[in-house]
Amino acid sequence: MKDQKHFEVIIIGGSYSGLSAAMSLGRSLRQVLVIDSGLPCNRQTPHSHNFITHDGEVPAVISAKAKIQVDLYDTVQFYNGLAISAIKTESGFEVNTESRFLFTAKKILFATGVRDLIPNIPGFAECWGISVLHCPYCHGYEVKAEKTAIIANGEIGFEFVKMISNWTKELKLVTNEKSTLTSEQTKILQKHNIEIVGDEIDSFFHENGKIQNIIFKNKSKIEVKAIYARLPFEQHCPLPEALGCELTETGLIKVDMMQKTNIDGIYASGDNSIQARSVAMAVSSGSFAGASINKTLIDESFA
């Protein structure tokens, strides 16, 4: 990159949302630095879906093409590395990287995503994003009518089963412990021939991330081709919290309709701040965040 240390905007996170914001800001003639450590949440997922013009594309191909296009805007620069600290100053922000580079900017956009907390089930991590799925809109069509399990319990499990039943009737609810469904919920699932399995999971048997069987600790097993699970998560980057950004009850960065956090000059977009996790949603929120930041900079220049 050029020997430049001062920018109008620093974007931390150079995946779909960060690149989309960078394009908006580049087209707005803003001096932008994108800092990215190269670890997108969906790096293991073989194909991205439900994003027009890119349906079925390898996620890394989408981001690589986007980076090439964003790099054409000469006011946008990239730094490959990890941002490890950030402080608020009188004129904006200072950001330090792991390699001890210091950059400053008037505004910061965190497009840093989240980190899924993988349960300690052998085979789960290897299957996550391949045959263990989080979103039917992203992946449900590819496993329609297949033998499918949902790992969940209680109200979440009941609602998840209702949703996934739109894609397949070959469905089992695996609660992985004693069921906490109400008697009414249980009757409804039984009416729809959906089995509730309360045995504790031991491991997943798979081939190259493609699930074949769920093995239980009582030595029983069920054959499946797909599993849906909603995992707990944490913020991939600790800097927003360190700067004082508020989180929602579910652990997302709290933003307003303009993608602004509670800290003046700090914005967030993508998976770290929106419930609907998909490439299309990340791109949308990033593009809007870029426009929002540009509007703020324009307003400040007329103050």
Side-chain angles (χ1 to χ4, degrees):
M1 60 175 291
K2 298 176 183 177
D3 186 21
Q4 183 176 341
K5 304 297 183 184
H6 308 289
F7 298 86
E8 291 177 287
V9 184
I10 290 177
I11 299 172
I12 301 178
S15 191
Y16 316 100
S17 192
L19 290 169
S20 182
M23 180 172 281
S24 285
L25 288 162
R27 292 183 60 79
S28 302
L29 312 178
R30 296 299 178 184
Q31 295 290 328
V32 179
L33 175 66
V34 180
I35 300 176
D36 184 53
S37 61
L39 291 173
C41 186
N42 69 346
R43 57 189 178 274
Q44 186 167 288
T45 303
H47 302 285
S48 175
H49 293 283
N50 205 26
F51 182 16
I52 57 172
T53 74
H54 292 289
D55 191 46
E57 185 65 270
V58 176
V61 171
I62 299 174
S63 57
K65 184 176 181 180
K67 186 173 181 179
I68 290 171
Q69 293 177 346
V70 173
D71 201 31
L72 294 175
Y73 294 92
D74 57 11
T75 61
V76 180
Q77 297 184 48
F78 291 89
Y79 176 83
N80 297 322
L82 182 66
I84 60 170
S85 68
I87 60 172
K88 198 171 188 340
T89 66
E90 289 185 3
S91 58
F93 300 90
E94 291 183 356
V95 177
N96 277 283
T97 70
E98 194 171 38
S99 300
R100 299 185 179 180
F101 281 90
L102 174 66
F103 301 103
T104 62
K106 296 178 181 178
K107 311 293 180 186
I108 290 182
L109 170 65
F110 285 103
T112 42
V114 295
R115 180 186 294 110
D116 294 308
L117 302 178
I118 305 295
N120 188 26
I121 297 173
F124 196 111
E126 292 83 353
C127 294
W128 182 237
I130 299 173
S131 58
V132 180
L133 313 170
H134 79 287
C135 173
Y137 295 101
C138 297
H139 305 291
Y141 185 86
E142 284 64 43
V143 292
K144 63 183 184 297
E146 296 283 9
K147 293 180 178 179
T148 300
I150 293 171
I151 300 177
N153 207 347
E155 184 70 21
I156 293 175
F158 179 69
E159 292 298 327
F160 212 171
V161 166
K162 286 167 58 180
M163 174 177 283
I164 303 305
S165 67
N166 182 72
W167 282 268
T168 181
K169 305 304 178 186
E170 296 283 334
L171 195 56
K172 297 180 188 293
L173 175 61
V174 178
T175 59
N176 198 27
E177 60 184 353
K178 183 178 179 180
S179 170
T180 58
L181 274 73
T182 67
S183 58
E184 182 63 25
Q185 289 170 337
T186 301
K187 288 178 183 178
I188 291 172
L189 296 191
Q190 290 172 342
K191 177 183 176 182
H192 289 270
N193 298 314
I194 297 170
E195 181 182 355
I196 302 170
V197 181
D199 301 325
E200 188 176 355
I201 298 171
D202 178 76
S203 61
F204 293 167
F205 179 75
H206 67 96
E207 288 190 3
N208 298 318
K210 296 182 179 180
I211 186 73
Q212 295 187 3
N213 292 286
I214 300 176
I215 312 297
F216 296 95
K217 291 191 174 180
N218 62 8
K219 307 303 181 183
S220 65
K221 65 180 180 180
I222 58 174
E223 178 186 354
V224 292
K225 295 297 183 183
I227 295 173
Y228 287 91
R230 286 178 177 163
L231 300 187
F233 62 85
E234 63 185 8
Q235 288 292 319
H236 189 262
C237 176
L239 299 187
E241 286 184 86
L243 285 163
C245 295
E246 293 181 11
L247 301 185
T248 68
E249 291 182 359
T250 59
L252 298 170
I253 299 173
K254 186 180 293 186
V255 294
D256 65 13
M257 293 181 65
M258 302 302 289
Q259 303 295 139
K260 295 181 180 180
T261 71
N262 62 297
I263 303 298
D264 187 41
I266 300 180
Y267 298 72
S269 67
D271 289 353
N272 66 13
S273 52
I274 57 175
Q275 286 283 358
R277 289 175 58 182
S278 73
V279 172
M281 293 293 187
V283 167
S284 174
S285 68
S287 181
F288 186 78
S292 177
I293 293 170
N294 183 58
K295 176 64 164 58
T296 299
L297 290 168
I298 290 171
D299 289 343
E300 289 176 354
S301 71
F302 277 83

